[in-house]
Amino acid sequence: MREELDNLKLVLDKDKGKRKAKKKKKAKKKKGKREKDLTPDRSMEELFEELVREGVIVRYPQVRLRDYLGSYNFLGTTLRQNEREPMPGLSDIRNVVTLFGVLPLGSESVHTKLVELKAKSKERKLDKAAPLVRAMLILGPRQTGKKMLLHGLCTEVGATLFDLTATNMAGKYPGKDGLKMLMHLVLKVGRALQPTVIHVGDCERMFMKKVPKSDKTEPKRFKKVLPKLIKAIKLDERILLVGTSQRPWEGDQKSLVSCHQKIVPIPRPDYNSRYMLWREFIKRHGGRIRDTLDLTSLTKVSDGYAGGHILEAVKQVLTEHRLEQQAARPLQAIEFIAPLAKMDPIYQDEEDQFKSWLEKTPHGKNRKKALEDAEGGQKDKKKGKKAAKK
């Protein structure tokens, strides 16, 4: 009996030793390579000064997100019932930027909580994870307020803004070594000055198949480096990359979408949003709204024009001389039509191009499939009710 017990103990000890060895191997595999510090002898002040001097760290106008005016899309359900996918309202866009940008960057406690939720969702293998993103893509036609949303996001959280737009980086940090140094400086200084926002304007140009010969900014040199930069951002770091695009279909869709975890499309303003824009812009520039100013007709006539167009028209009309004459000659809607006529509106074809591009994205395909499945289920229910009646 004693011999048998001794043999069993030896077997158990061997099993324990094997398990410990396996655990050690797994732990070794998890350890990743440490990033090399390319500037160990330079202080943070020197690095910051270099990036400011090169125009990588830039100043931005102080804009509040609440100044991004617009209304909600109240007709979303009605459009879906008529088999038409609605675009979000401008107020919906502002809320999305607040949820995915301002809250995680501005509040360290919120960011930490989101990291914990994301870790729990991975452990439990849940489909839905916490809304924590490293990269966001804001796209929309001209004059729709993409830069304003970016500057509003930075202002709300007091972020340090890095501008990696191809036109801004033309001729700076040339070659592979220069690009490697640039990415190192952006991450090192960005981590020290959190919260940090990294902006890439016209980001579709990085993924163009053929860059025009007249373009000397070399946008494609960031194609391989940018995804690595996004992956290098750790979950516990308050760093967000924001790409803006006016013509996303000019670049490779798969590469562009894979880089950004969240896509925020900005549509043309609808009737409610245009009415709000006209009223608020006129008031803020010293105009008096009376019965002689037909805002309803002005809103209908300005269909297709974005917030930037409306603001420019208001500035051109409400000069100091015109403001002084308001008491004797009140404002009329016809005065604002002449400046608008000189601007190119956003045509329906351009917005349809954005919609078709969004439908081809993985999220757009999944949404379309979900809607088709829901419609199929409703049809089956109706057929079942009719069969039951018979």
Side-chain angles (χ1 to χ4, degrees):
M1 289 290 288
R2 287 179 183 176
E3 287 179 3
E4 287 178 4
L5 285 170
D6 291 336
N7 290 331
L8 283 170
K9 284 179 181 180
L10 287 169
V11 171
L12 287 170
D13 290 338
K14 284 180 181 177
D15 289 338
K16 286 179 181 178
K18 286 179 181 178
R19 286 174 187 173
K20 286 178 181 179
K22 284 181 180 178
K23 285 180 182 178
K24 285 179 181 178
K25 285 180 181 178
K26 287 180 181 177
K28 285 180 181 178
K29 285 181 181 178
K30 286 182 180 178
K31 287 181 181 178
K33 292 181 180 179
R34 291 184 180 180
E35 294 177 10
K36 290 183 180 179
D37 190 358
L38 301 178
T39 53
D41 302 328
R42 298 178 65 186
S43 66
M44 190 59 63
E45 291 177 359
E46 289 176 345
L47 300 178
F48 179 80
E49 187 180 347
E50 180 186 331
L51 291 175
V52 171
R53 188 173 60 250
E54 293 292 336
V56 180
I57 294 178
V58 294
R59 285 186 179 182
Y60 50 87
Q62 298 295 303
V63 181
R64 294 291 178 185
L65 272 179
R66 63 170 177 264
D67 295 330
Y68 187 81
L69 303 172
S71 179
Y72 293 98
N73 188 354
F74 297 105
L75 298 174
T77 307
T78 308
L79 289 170
R80 283 198 184 98
Q81 289 172 353
N82 294 322
E83 298 181 355
R84 288 178 62 189
E85 185 60 24
M87 291 292 279
L90 298 184
S91 191
D92 299 316
I93 299 297
R94 185 176 64 240
N95 289 345
V96 168
V97 173
T98 303
L99 177 63
F100 291 95
V102 174
L103 288 177
L105 284 180
S107 174
E108 193 171 352
S109 58
V110 171
H111 190 91
T112 306
K113 188 67 178 176
L114 290 174
V115 172
E116 290 173 0
L117 289 171
K118 205 167 186 73
K120 286 180 182 178
S121 65
K122 283 184 179 179
E123 287 174 7
R124 297 175 185 176
K125 296 181 181 180
L126 299 175
D127 294 331
K128 292 182 180 179
L132 184 64
V133 297
R134 294 188 183 98
M136 181 191 297
L137 174 62
I138 303 175
L139 53 90
R142 61 195 178 282
Q143 299 290 337
T144 49
K146 297 181 287 295
K147 285 279 186 73
M148 185 178 181
L149 284 171
L150 171 70
H151 296 152
L153 166 63
C154 294
T155 302
E156 295 291 348
V157 301
T160 307
L161 180 60
F162 293 76
D163 189 1
L164 297 184
T165 306
T167 51
N168 183 49
M169 298 308 300
K172 300 172 184 176
Y173 297 95
K176 288 185 179 180
D177 293 335
L179 203 57
K180 190 177 180 181
M181 177 59 73
L182 173 63
M183 295 299 111
H184 166 72
L185 292 175
V186 168
L187 276 175
K188 187 174 182 179
V189 178
R191 283 167 177 161
L193 302 175
Q194 296 181 54
T196 298
V197 174
I198 303 168
H199 174 231
V200 182
D202 297 326
C203 54
E204 78 281 354
R205 294 173 64 209
M206 290 187 297
F207 306 105
M208 290 174 72
K209 292 179 181 178
K210 289 185 179 179
V211 180
K213 292 181 180 179
S214 57
D215 190 356
K216 296 180 181 179
T217 58
E218 298 181 69
K220 291 185 76 173
R221 68 180 183 137
F222 290 98
K223 183 179 179 179
K224 294 181 180 179
V225 178
L226 197 67
K228 291 179 182 178
L229 176 69
I230 295 167
K231 286 181 182 178
I233 300 171
K234 298 174 185 176
L235 283 175
D236 58 345
E237 292 171 347
R238 290 185 295 158
I239 301 174
L240 177 68
L241 186 137
V242 179
T244 54
S245 176
Q246 190 174 316
R247 305 175 69 84
W249 50 84
E250 290 186 353
D252 181 49
Q253 188 183 52
K254 188 178 179 181
S255 303
L256 185 60
V257 172
S258 62
C259 270
H260 302 88
Q261 296 164 291
K262 190 71 181 174
I263 299 175
V264 184
I266 306 176
R268 298 185 306 170
D270 57 7
Y271 179 87
N272 293 330
S273 295
R274 291 197 309 277
Y275 187 91
M276 186 183 293
L277 288 166
W278 279 115
R279 186 186 63 199
E280 292 301 320
F281 284 157
I282 290 171
K283 283 182 178 178
R284 291 181 183 186
H285 288 80
R288 299 173 190 171
I289 297 174
R290 298 180 182 177
D291 295 336
T292 54
L293 181 58
D294 189 359
L295 283 179
T296 304
S297 299
L298 192 58
T299 304
K300 289 178 180 177
V301 170
S302 59
D303 186 15
Y305 290 93
H309 297 126
I310 294 171
L311 179 61
E312 186 60 31
V314 170
K315 286 180 178 178
Q316 288 184 27
V317 173
L318 297 181
T319 59
E320 291 183 10
H321 180 66
R322 183 66 186 88
L323 291 173
E324 291 173 357
Q325 295 178 334
Q326 284 188 97
R329 188 162 63 91
L331 292 172
Q332 294 183 351
I334 197 169
E335 296 179 63
F336 297 94
I337 294 173
L340 277 180
K342 296 176 183 177
M343 304 176 195
D344 291 329
I346 302 164
Y347 296 102
Q348 186 64 41
D349 295 341
E350 191 174 347
E351 187 169 1
D352 291 341
Q353 206 167 2
F354 273 99
K355 286 181 180 179
S356 62
W357 186 87
L358 288 166
E359 286 174 1
K360 293 174 184 176
T361 61
H363 177 73
K365 288 177 181 177
N366 293 336
R367 186 168 184 78
K368 190 177 181 180
K369 188 180 179 183
L371 289 170
E372 287 174 357
D373 292 342
E375 286 175 8
Q378 288 178 357
K379 286 178 181 178
D380 292 338
K381 284 182 181 179
K382 287 179 181 178
K383 286 180 182 178
K385 287 180 181 178
K386 286 180 181 179
K389 286 179 182 179
K390 288 179 181 179

